[in-house]
Amino acid sequence: MQLFYNPDIDETTESFSFDKEESKHIIKVLRKKDSDILHVTNGQGLLFETEITLASDNKCIVSVLSIKKSPEPKFRLHLAVAPTKINDRFEWFLEKATEIGIQEITPIICDRSERKVINLERFEKIVLSAMKQSNEMFLPKLNDAVSFKEFIKQKNQGLQFIAHCEETDKKSLKKSLQPNENVTLLIGPEGDFSEKEIALALENNYKPVTLGNTRLRTETAAVVACHSVVFFNEA
């Protein structure tokens, strides 16, 4: 199934049009024509089966034939991850985490971060593309970058973890999870979190966890964490 996206449609929608760029892609590139069927999601759990009523590359119009609602996830996974020095690695994480089934991502700027500016618009396109490619009906929420201190001040529901490399008493993430509980997990930069950041996280009720016996790159750790939480809750 090829999936399209329109954030402005809901259960009351009977017909709608795609923007010029998407219309051109549908008609000129994919060579769709009148009466062809398109599957569209609004990124909020709804799948629309639609039929093309006007096959124009300026304004492709479809009518809604049926709507299917996907069940809400039983838990929310929010990863706060330091952007990597090489952009491609963070973009790889965004793609894979979306495919696996994450709900929210926040880039965090840490004491040892080598990259402190992100291209949010580009990141949003990568997340959207990964959602469509994996036939996922929920678009993950991608937040703008914030400092570590700002993020720690936010109130997050459920379990809160920080994965760091310091030789301290830590439990494995797997043994720390609980079924269908919301999870917020912090992943640091290449140089790891600073001692001050770790202490601040612990003061704010974040529990230290390990993701395994090997030292992982930032983006690898984030994907491992994402998969671990989702797999745990699907078992």
Side-chain angles (χ1 to χ4, degrees):
M1 179 178 70
Q2 186 167 25
L3 191 62
F4 298 89
Y5 172 67
N6 187 317
D8 302 319
I9 54 180
D10 57 30
E11 291 173 296
T12 66
T13 302
E14 296 181 355
S15 67
F16 61 90
S17 60
F18 292 94
D19 61 29
K20 186 173 181 179
E21 182 180 352
E22 188 80 300
S23 294
K24 185 176 181 180
H25 178 71
I26 291 169
I27 305 305
K28 291 292 188 180
V29 179
L30 300 179
R31 300 187 181 279
K32 300 294 184 180
K33 55 188 183 301
D34 285 347
S35 299
D36 280 353
I37 301 299
L38 300 181
H39 292 93
V40 188
T41 183
N42 64 353
Q44 300 173 50
L46 295 180
L47 175 64
F48 299 78
E49 183 177 312
T50 70
E51 180 181 12
I52 296 177
T53 55
L54 179 62
S56 167
D57 59 358
N58 285 317
K59 190 176 183 180
C60 177
I61 300 176
V62 298
S63 62
V64 176
L65 301 178
S66 65
I67 304 173
K68 186 182 295 184
K69 190 170 186 177
S70 299
E72 290 277 349
K74 295 180 180 178
F75 68 97
R76 283 188 62 82
L77 172 58
H78 184 180
L79 286 187
V81 185
T84 54
K85 181 179 180 181
I86 300 175
N87 247 335
D88 288 353
R89 291 178 178 169
F90 196 82
E91 292 173 3
W92 175 82
F93 148 67
L94 292 173
E95 179 183 79
K96 300 312 171 190
T98 301
E99 291 176 10
I100 292 168
I102 198 170
Q103 283 75 45
E104 188 169 359
I105 302 166
T106 301
I108 51 172
I109 308 304
C110 304
D111 290 341
R112 296 171 179 165
S113 289
E114 295 188 67
R115 178 173 294 280
K116 300 190 177 184
V117 177
I118 67 164
N119 186 335
L120 185 63
E121 184 178 353
R122 176 172 170 79
F123 284 179
E124 287 174 335
K125 288 180 179 179
I126 290 168
V127 169
L128 176 58
S129 177
M131 181 200 73
K132 293 193 292 184
Q133 187 275 329
S134 57
N135 285 335
E136 175 61 60
M137 302 305 150
F138 291 95
L139 181 66
K141 182 182 180 183
L142 178 60
N143 301 312
D144 206 349
V146 296
S147 71
F148 179 89
K149 291 180 180 179
E150 284 181 88
F151 186 84
I152 287 294
K153 292 177 184 177
Q154 298 176 9
K155 300 298 181 183
N156 294 294
Q157 295 181 343
L159 305 173
Q160 298 183 144
F161 302 116
I162 178 170
H164 64 78
C165 300
E166 290 292 316
E167 293 296 330
T168 59
D169 185 28
K170 294 178 287 188
K171 292 177 64 176
S172 73
L173 176 62
K174 179 181 177 181
K175 292 181 180 179
S176 303
L177 295 171
Q178 298 174 24
N180 301 325
E181 278 284 344
N182 293 344
V183 174
T184 301
L185 178 59
L186 310 176
I187 303 287
E190 283 91 335
D192 199 13
F193 293 112
S194 67
E195 292 182 4
K196 288 183 179 180
E197 288 171 333
I198 295 171
L200 183 60
L202 299 183
E203 288 172 12
N204 285 271
N205 301 315
Y206 280 81
K207 306 300 182 185
V209 293
T210 175
L211 302 176
N213 297 323
T214 58
R215 192 179 184 93
L216 304 174
R217 288 182 181 273
T218 294
E219 71 278 9
T220 310
V223 169
V224 167
C226 182
H227 180 266
S228 296
V229 175
V230 173
F231 184 75
F232 176 87
N233 282 280
E234 288 181 347

